[in-house]
Amino acid sequence: AVVGAAIALARLGLSYLLWAVPLGMGILLPTAASLLARPGLRRRALMVAAATIAITAVVFLGFLREHSESLQVLSSTVYPGTRRFAGQVQSLPALFGAPHLWILQRDPVLTATNQSEIASGYLILAVAALLIVPSIHWRKVGIVAVPALTSLLVVGLLALWCSATWPAWVGGIPVVGLVSPARVAQVLGLLGTTTFALVIGAFAVSKEGGRRGAAVTAGAVSFLVTLMAGSLLQTSFIAGLPLRWIWVVSVLTGLAVGLAIGFARRWWGLVPLVVLAVPVVVTVNPWQQGFAELHSGKAAEELDRLSAGPGIWASEDIWVDAVLMANAHQSLSGQQWIGPNRESWEVLDPESASEALWNRGASFVVFRWAASGKPVTIEAPTPDYLLVTADPCDTKLRVLGVTRIVSQHALKHQCLTPTSSFALGGATRWTYAIKP
């Protein structure tokens, strides 16, 4: 168990830090507090913790040594390597809009955001947990009080990170400066849910009196906050979110929270919350939706056939790039994950004039095919989207090993030989081989 915990802890430090730091705090601190608060287990807990940390250090240092070059590239990027954050106010929908995200199952038109950016958790449960704190006789709760109060403290600090503008110098504090308020807002609801579970556990073993008042108060506030978040979600991001459903979901959320608190000692008190969550999360995993044309469609078959022999692809379509990546075909376009291959970018950008754009971690790299003789240009219409405009006959592409391209329209450049065409997502794409 110690070895498994150590590997998991090391893995936490190697994960997406903007999420790993807050989630790690929300799990590790209440767990540690709970163990250390038990007099009979304190010494054993300290021994286990020391052994776990020692093994974690060995695993973590081994990873750092194995991947030192990649980490060095990442650390020198504009984002995320050198960027630091201080706390900043986040919108109400970003914090409390989760109950209304069932609408994403319908794939609505979104404004100024996308599905992953707008995703959030049930932070409303943390509000409900805070409202019932005064109704709990903490001295009668016993050991349950320790993790519950620790979890409340962690969520409170992280919520403050997302609900107030902090001084800029705070971003210079190690680890703290890595935590983006927007990313914390996306996962804070997960910790809000675990906090609610701990606090309602303490509430359930506390005295019977005051349950009705606490349930009504928490339910009413949950209804109001969820209604406000849903209304702002509609006006700011999802115009297609029906007004009637904003009210229905808000009422149901308030009722579910009220029932969970009012019947805290009954197992079925939590059932309405679970039922209410189902429409939001039932098909949230891409595996459930299927991979459509990524592996077995006409596009995948054609790209497989055309990928025989040396050379790599370049495409002006992110959907084609997805097919290429899904089938392990080398491509100059696609997604740049760890950081830039500086030597390759300097072929396209010899004077590094656009380094501030391409020197980033995770980014889409998409080409746009220009007329013959046009110079290479690099733009970033959005921070994570790199658009490289280039003549497909430019010798710079040949230096980088590009021998075949995909276009969204027919091309007539002298260096190109048409090889095939296929449909993807209802539109035709053309493929070409670049003559030596």
Side-chain angles (χ1 to χ4, degrees), residues 339-365:
N341 182 317
R342 181 172 291 273
E343 292 181 359
S344 295
W345 277 108
E346 287 177 348
V347 172
L348 297 174
D349 185 22
E351 298 180 359
S352 298
S354 302
E355 181 177 354
L357 304 180
W358 52 255
N359 188 16
R360 294 174 59 86
S363 299
F364 292 98
V365 181

Side-chain angles (χ1 to χ4, degrees), residues 184-246:
V184 172
Q186 290 181 322
V187 298
L188 190 54
L190 298 176
L191 300 182
T193 303
T194 57
T195 300
F196 179 77
L198 292 167
V199 172
I200 204 171
F203 184 73
V205 300
S206 185
K207 71 166 193 173
E208 288 284 351
R211 294 187 186 283
R212 184 174 300 176
V216 171
T217 301
V221 172
S222 297
F223 157 72
L224 182 60
V225 173
T226 305
L227 181 64
M228 293 170 63
S231 300
L232 290 172
L233 191 67
Q234 182 196 55
T235 57
S236 302
F237 302 114
I238 312 177
L241 181 60
L243 179 61
R244 65 181 182 279
W245 281 107
I246 295 175

Side-chain angles (χ1 to χ4, degrees), residues 409-434:
H409 53 277
L411 299 175
K412 296 182 179 180
H413 296 68
Q414 292 184 350
C415 72
L416 299 180
T417 301
T419 53
S420 182
S421 64
F422 56 84
L424 181 64
T428 301
R429 274 74 168 181
W430 287 264
T431 64
Y432 296 88
I434 299 178

Side-chain angles (χ1 to χ4, degrees), residues 66-83:
E66 178 71 18
H67 298 279
S68 59
E69 293 184 6
S70 297
L71 294 172
Q72 186 175 0
V73 169
L74 184 62
S75 65
S76 63
T77 57
V78 174
Y79 175 82
T82 59
R83 186 174 178 182

